[in-house]
Amino acid sequence: MTNGLQRATAALTSDERILWSGVPDASVLLSPVDVLLIPFSLLWTGFAVFWEYTALAQSKAPGFFPFFGGVFVAIGLYFVFFRFVVGNYRRRTTSYVLTNRRAIVVGARTLRSVSVDPNTLSTSWSRDSRRVSVNFGFQQGQTIRGVFGRSTLSMSAMTGPFTGWDPLNLNPTPIVFQDVVDPAGLEGALAELAAG
C-alpha cells in the first residue's frame, strides 16, 4: 500500500489532494462472475483434453493436431487453475487513491486514473456488506444486475483485473475500486467529493 500511495502522490497535480486511500480485500478468491467462468473453463478444458487425447490416439491424425490441441489444453489449464494465481497477485499489488479530482488505481506496474464524475459513478456492496466496489467508468444505466445478492457487475466483469481472465491485462477495465475493505472511509471521501 505504501508504495502505491507514494506512486500516486508523485503523480498528483499541484491542485490535487488525497481524500482517501485503500486496498482491495486480498482474501477474496471468487467473484460472482465465476459462476459463469468456472463452468465455461471446465468445458473448454475438458473438450481440449478430449481433442488432445483423440489426436494422440489416432495414428492417421495430421501432425499438427496434437500441437493445436496442446495449445488449447494449456489455455484451459490457465483458465481452470492459474488465473486465480494472477488474480490473487493483482489483489495483493493493487491500491486505490481518491483525490479531489481523480480516482487512481495503482497496480504492480501500472497507474491508471479517471476524472471523477458523479454521473458515471455506481456503487455495489458484497452480500455481507463488509466490502464495497465503486465503478468510476460506466454510466449507471450500463451496469447489469449481479448473480448474488446486491452485487452489481460492470459490463467489463468478464475481463476484470481480479478474475485473472486477461493474464496480460491487454484489455484494461474501467476504473473500479473493487472489494474495498474500508467502505465507511471510502463513502465518507465520496460524500466529501460530492459536496465539493
Side-chain angles (χ1 to χ4, degrees):
M1 173 60 190
T2 304
N3 183 39
L5 184 57
Q6 290 172 349
R7 288 172 56 204
T9 303
L12 297 181
T13 61
S14 59
D15 59 343
E16 270 186 297
R17 61 185 171 83
I18 294 176
L19 302 178
W20 176 87
S21 64
V23 295
D25 187 351
S27 68
V28 176
L29 181 62
L30 298 175
S31 65
V33 75
D34 282 314
V35 168
L36 302 174
L37 296 182
I38 289 173
F40 174 78
S41 63
L42 291 173
L43 286 171
W44 173 291
T45 306
F47 180 75
V49 168
F50 173 75
W51 171 283
E52 187 69 7
Y53 173 78
T54 304
L56 292 172
Q58 296 290 329
S59 59
K60 296 180 182 179
F64 70 89
F65 270 39
F67 173 74
F68 184 74
V71 170
F72 283 90
V73 168
I75 292 169
L77 291 175
Y78 173 81
F79 287 163
V80 172
F81 299 109
F82 299 111
R83 74 180 179 88
F84 294 106
V85 174
V86 170
N88 187 290
Y89 171 76
R90 287 185 183 157
R91 279 185 185 278
R92 289 184 290 107
T93 58
T94 297
S95 53
Y96 305 128
V97 176
L98 182 67
T99 74
N100 58 325
R101 298 196 176 277
R102 295 184 293 165
I104 303 170
V105 176
V106 183
R109 295 183 311 247
T110 60
L111 189 146
R112 298 174 53 230
S113 68
V114 66
S115 296
V116 178
D117 178 0
N119 296 323
T120 61
L121 187 139
S122 62
T123 304
S124 62
W125 290 81
S126 62
R127 286 185 87 184
D128 59 7
S129 298
R130 291 187 306 164
R131 296 180 308 277
V132 66
S133 296
V134 179
N135 186 329
F136 296 94
F138 282 130
Q139 303 254 337
Q140 297 222 12
Q142 292 178 293
T143 57
I144 57 175
R145 188 74 180 140
V147 177
F148 296 118
R150 297 171 10 204
S151 299
T152 301
L153 302 174
S154 72
M155 294 172 67
S156 65
M158 292 295 282
T159 58
F162 302 143
T163 63
W165 201 249
D166 184 5
L168 301 177
N169 209 19
L170 298 175
N171 183 24
T173 61
I175 300 295
V176 178
F177 290 0
Q178 186 173 340
D179 294 329
V180 172
V181 292
D182 177 23
L186 179 55
E187 285 199 318
L190 289 170
E192 181 181 344
L193 186 65

